[in-house]
């Protein structure tokens, strides 16, 4: 599974990196970014789904 953030939708709410700090970080302006290539390890699946469910802009995709 891979995580992706749609930069057109992200408004910088920051819940993604609060909930899944191993997967997401923020850029210099507070917008969410995936770490590395966004590969979600089995250990990260739960926080990844939590982040997806909690992004108010629905900017996160798990593919
Ligand atoms: Fe952006 Fe959603 Fe994270 S708006 S900073 S992807 S919680």
């Amino acid at each position: 599974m891979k995580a992706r953030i749609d930069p057109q939708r992200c408004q910088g709410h920051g819940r993604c990196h609060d909930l899944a700090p191993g997967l997401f970080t923020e850029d210099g302006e507070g917008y969410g970014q995936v770490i590395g290539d966004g590969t979600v390890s089995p250990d990260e699946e739960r926080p990844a789904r939590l982040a997806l469910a909690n992004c108010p802009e629905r900017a996160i995709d798990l593919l």
Side-chain angles (χ1 to χ4, degrees):
M1 191 193 302
K2 281 205 179 196
R4 200 176 61 185
I5 291 178
D6 182 344
Q8 311 280 357
R9 290 190 184 168
C10 176
Q11 297 294 321
H13 293 286
R15 296 187 192 167
C16 52
H17 45 89
D18 282 349
L19 293 167
L23 266 184
F24 302 106
T25 185
E26 60 183 317
D27 69 11
E29 297 180 336
Y31 294 100
Q33 279 192 330
V34 295
I35 294 172
D37 70 357
T39 299
V40 181
S41 69
D43 280 356
E44 293 280 3
E45 281 190 25
R46 193 178 155 82
R49 293 187 195 284
L50 205 60
L52 180 147
N54 279 277
C55 174
E57 308 298 333
R58 304 185 68 85
I60 298 171
D61 286 318
L62 295 173
L63 310 167

